[in-house]
Amino acid sequence: MKLSKIEWTEATWNPSIGCNKISSGCKFCYAEVMSKRLKAMKTPGYEEGFKFKMLPARLDYPKSFVKPTKFFVNSMSDLFHEKMDFHFLDQVFDTIRDTPKHTYQILTKRENILQKYFATREVPDNVWLGVTVEAPDRKDRIDVLRNIPAKIRFLSLEPLLADLGELNLSGIHWVIVGGESGAKARPMKEEWAVSIKRQCKIQKSSFFFKQWGTWGADGLKRSKKANGRLFLGKEWNEEPNLRVKSA
C-alpha cells in the first residue's frame, strides 16, 4: 500500500510541521506552499500555516499500520528543527523503536542538531538517516552524517541546483537525485546527475533518480509529469544494499 506520491517512500508521518528557510534549497519550499493550502482548507494542525509546531496527537500514527511500511518522517518539516524539543524528539524515536516492522526515512538540512542529538543516543536499526545536499557549499553535511552510526545513511541531492563536483560517498549507502518542481523552479542539468551516477557506481552507493521536475533533460520547461523520471533512457530505483557497502 503506497499512500505517498513521493517516489522513494510509501507513506509520510508528520509528528511536527512547519519550518523556516536556511539554505538555497529552501527557496521555493513545496511544504510551505502546501501548508498555505492546508490552512486555507482549514485542515487541523495547519491553523498557523507553516509555523513550526509539535503535534503529540500524531505520535502513535505508525502504530495503526498492520503491514510493514516505509515512512518518510516529516515531509512537512525538519525533524531536527531549532525549535524541536528533545524530549518530544525522544517520544518520536520511542514510537520508532516500538514499531520495528516499519522503516523510517529521516532527512534533515540541520546536520549540527542531528549530530548533537545522536551524540548521546543511538540510532534505531529501522531508521535510514539522511541529509540534503543541493549545492557544493552544503557538502559538509555529508561529513557530519558519515560519522553518525546509522545502519543506513543516505543523501537527497534535491533540488539539485549545481554541479556538486567530486563526492566522498564512503559510508553513504543511498543517493537520491532530483530536479526542482513548481512555477519558479530552477533547472537541473543532465551532466550534474550523470556525474553523481558515475560516482555512485564507482563508490558502490545505490542510485535513485526521483524526477526531472519542471525542467526536462532537454532544457525545456514543462509540467513535472510530462518530464517524468527517465534518466539515460530508463528509471533508476535502486535502494540501499548493506551487502555491497559496509556501514
Side-chain angles (χ1 to χ4, degrees):
M1 179 174 62
K2 186 171 171 61
L3 301 177
S4 173
K5 293 182 179 180
I6 299 171
E7 292 80 356
W8 46 266
T9 197
E10 294 174 344
T12 57
W13 172 39
N14 287 281
S16 64
I17 58 174
C19 204
N20 57 282
K21 296 177 174 64
I22 62 169
S23 63
S24 57
C26 303
K27 188 173 183 179
F28 302 122
C29 178
Y30 76 89
E32 182 178 25
V33 174
M34 181 59 69
S35 290
K36 291 178 180 178
R37 292 176 185 169
L38 293 171
K39 179 181 179 180
M41 294 165 60
K42 302 187 184 304
T43 303
Y46 293 91
E47 294 83 0
E48 297 177 271
F50 205 46
K51 181 179 179 180
F52 178 80
K53 183 186 299 184
M54 292 170 278
L55 301 170
R58 296 186 179 185
L59 282 170
D60 289 336
Y61 176 69
K63 296 179 181 180
S64 65
F65 284 67
V66 175
K67 181 182 176 182
T69 302
K70 193 182 297 175
F71 287 97
F72 174 27
V73 184
N74 271 20
S75 61
M76 297 297 291
S77 183
D78 190 322
L79 195 63
F80 295 94
H81 191 273
E82 292 83 359
K83 293 183 179 179
M84 172 61 77
D85 181 87
F86 275 14
H87 175 67
F88 184 80
L89 198 48
D90 286 340
Q91 292 178 278
V92 171
F93 280 98
D94 284 343
T95 294
I96 289 172
R97 290 186 180 89
D98 289 343
T99 53
K101 66 183 177 182
H102 298 323
T103 298
Y104 296 88
Q105 300 159 308
I106 301 173
L107 187 61
T108 185
K109 290 185 177 76
R110 292 164 168 83
E111 71 282 1
N112 293 331
I113 299 175
L114 175 77
Q115 183 180 50
K116 180 180 179 181
Y117 182 77
F118 284 116
T120 56
R121 298 165 176 85
E122 293 186 358
V123 184
D125 284 345
N126 57 334
V127 164
W128 296 6
L129 210 55
V131 294
T132 299
V133 179
E134 68 270 40
D137 63 347
R138 299 298 172 177
K139 289 199 290 187
D140 55 341
R141 291 173 179 160
I142 305 174
D143 294 324
V144 173
L145 176 66
R146 191 188 345 269
N147 290 303
I148 297 175
K151 188 173 182 179
I152 295 288
R153 290 181 288 267
F154 72 100
L155 307 180
S156 175
L157 311 183
E158 182 195 13
L160 186 60
L161 302 176
D163 183 356
L164 297 183
E166 293 302 309
L167 295 168
N168 179 359
L169 299 176
S170 62
I172 304 300
H173 305 93
W174 194 33
V175 177
I176 301 166
V177 172
E180 193 166 39
S181 58
K184 298 180 180 180
R186 294 156 286 183
M188 173 181 67
K189 294 186 178 179
E190 184 176 40
E191 56 262 35
W192 302 345
V194 169
S195 174
I196 293 164
K197 183 187 175 300
R198 172 185 59 81
Q199 294 182 72
C200 285
K201 183 176 181 180
I202 292 170
Q203 300 185 57
K204 294 183 170 58
S205 294
S206 298
F207 177 81
F208 190 105
F209 188 79
K210 180 176 178 286
Q211 65 176 26
W212 281 102
T214 298
W215 296 88
D218 56 5
L220 297 179
K221 192 174 185 179
R222 54 177 76 86
S223 73
K224 168 186 169 180
K225 183 177 180 180
N227 282 324
R229 299 186 57 227
L230 293 182
F231 173 62
L232 302 179
K234 61 175 284 189
E235 287 189 4
W236 299 86
N237 298 313
E238 296 175 2
E239 291 208 344
N241 188 343
L242 282 175
R243 291 177 298 176
V244 173
K245 192 169 196 175
S246 61

